[in-house]
Amino acid sequence: MLAVLLALGSSLAYGCSDFLGGLGARRAHVLRTVMIAAPVSLAVELVLWPVLGATWSASALGWGAASGLASAAAFALLYRTLAIGPMSVLSPVSAVVSAALPVGVGLAQGEHLGAAAVAGIALALVAVVLVAGPGDDRDTRTGRPPARPGRSALLLAVAAGTAIALQLVCLDRAPADSGLAPLVTGRAVSSVVTVAAALALHRRLGPERPSLPIAAGAGALDSLANLAFLLAVRSGDLAVVAVITALYPAGTVLLARTVLAERLGRTQLVGLGTAAASVCLLALG
């Protein structure tokens, strides 16, 4: 139950972070948003370090650095994906990919799941697909079809999901007694990579600046999401935790609906209900 609750917290924080990151990337080049979000995320983890502790080892540093490289790619790819939107479709696409790989890794590691957990995982994956909604679905209020994403946006969403999955797997592989060491290492690496990339490409970034509070909020929430995931996977199975975490599009979709007035179709509403049912099964499993 603790792992399920932590994974839900991670999912909620990821969903809110992605919404803010995508919103910030609509106002300026994605690297301008990421070069604020990544260092802020690192700052949050440095503040938490004395409280939660960290044990440094070659394994913690190695897996942390690998997660940082994947995180840097995930930051840029996902924020760019959500910037060219619609968020309510592309976020779930990335989530399907981000859930599939960790589930496979968890099962390959010999994780044994009960019948309820297996059913919950299957239902959660269905929920993520439903939240994406088919292109001909109709808005429940206006009767108009939701916006269709382009092929390039879908490819970016798949790439973003892959990067997220690699980040989660790397965090799972870090030693269980390493505390915040892999998170701090990963965020240091991702911050250096993104800032260096932004400096190298500064002439191509344009004059537009993202909102500092929006970009900083995205980074802070992403840091808290990573922490919740790390704690969850240390007390539960990767396959279960990764799938619950992959429900993060629910938060992104609802915020996009509320703030940006993106249309929510009937299929997406069914998907949100299915997600709730899947979490209940996973908690029982």
Side-chain angles (χ1 to χ4, degrees), residues 10-11 13-26 29-31 33-34 37 69-98 152-165 167-168 187 194 218 222 225-226 245-246 248-249 252:
S10 177
S11 176
Y14 273 132
C16 295
S17 171
D18 293 347
F19 173 78
L20 291 177
L23 194 62
R26 291 186 175 186
H29 193 283
V30 63
L31 277 180
T33 301
V34 176
L69 293 174
S71 174
F75 259 131
L77 289 168
L78 188 59
Y79 288 0
R80 178 55 183 164
T81 298
L82 300 181
I84 61 179
M87 291 186 184
S88 56
V89 175
L90 294 174
S91 180
V93 170
S94 69
V96 171
V97 180
S98 71
S152 60
L154 288 172
L155 290 175
L156 278 173
V158 171
T162 302
I164 293 170
Q167 178 192 4
L168 299 183
R187 273 295 172 256
T194 54
D222 186 80
N226 285 337
T245 301
Y248 65 81
T252 306

Side-chain angles (χ1 to χ4, degrees), residues 28-271:
H29 193 283
V30 63
L31 277 180
R32 289 198 181 277
T33 301
V34 176
M35 70 183 296
I36 296 173
V40 168
S41 183
L42 173 61
V44 170
E45 289 167 6
L46 290 175
V47 170
L48 293 173
W49 179 2
V51 179
L52 300 177
T55 301
W56 305 93
S57 65
S59 181
L61 289 171
W63 286 112
S67 74
L69 293 174
S71 174
F75 259 131
L77 289 168
L78 188 59
Y79 288 0
R80 178 55 183 164
T81 298
L82 300 181
I84 61 179
M87 291 186 184
S88 56
V89 175
L90 294 174
S91 180
V93 170
S94 69
V96 171
V97 180
S98 71
L101 180 58
V103 167
V105 171
L107 296 178
Q109 291 176 165
E111 293 180 356
H112 300 290
L113 306 176
V118 172
I121 287 176
L123 201 59
L125 293 175
V126 171
V128 171
V129 174
L130 288 175
V131 171
D136 59 352
D137 199 13
R138 297 283 170 174
D139 180 78
T140 54
R141 186 170 57 184
T142 65
R144 292 179 295 172
R148 295 173 181 264
R151 179 176 299 178
S152 60
L154 288 172
L155 290 175
L156 278 173
V158 171
T162 302
I164 293 170
L166 291 174
Q167 178 192 4
L168 299 183
V169 170
C170 289
L171 289 177
D172 173 64
R173 298 293 294 169
D177 59 353
S178 57
L180 289 188
L183 289 183
V184 174
T185 302
R187 273 295 172 256
V189 169
S190 64
S191 296
V192 169
V193 169
T194 54
V195 172
L199 292 175
L201 300 173
H202 70 279
R203 294 183 180 179
R204 304 180 185 180
L205 303 187
E208 296 81 7
R209 305 274 180 177
S211 167
L212 181 59
I214 288 178
L221 285 168
D222 186 80
S223 180
L224 295 176
N226 285 337
L227 174 60
F229 173 83
L230 186 65
L231 295 177
V233 83
R234 286 176 177 174
S235 59
D237 293 323
L238 173 62
V240 173
V241 171
V243 170
I244 296 178
T245 301
L247 295 174
Y248 65 81
T252 306
V253 166
L254 291 175
L255 283 172
R257 171 67 169 179
T258 304
V259 179
L260 303 179
E262 288 190 0
R263 294 186 292 276
L264 197 63
R266 285 184 291 273
T267 300
Q268 291 172 314
L269 291 174
V270 172

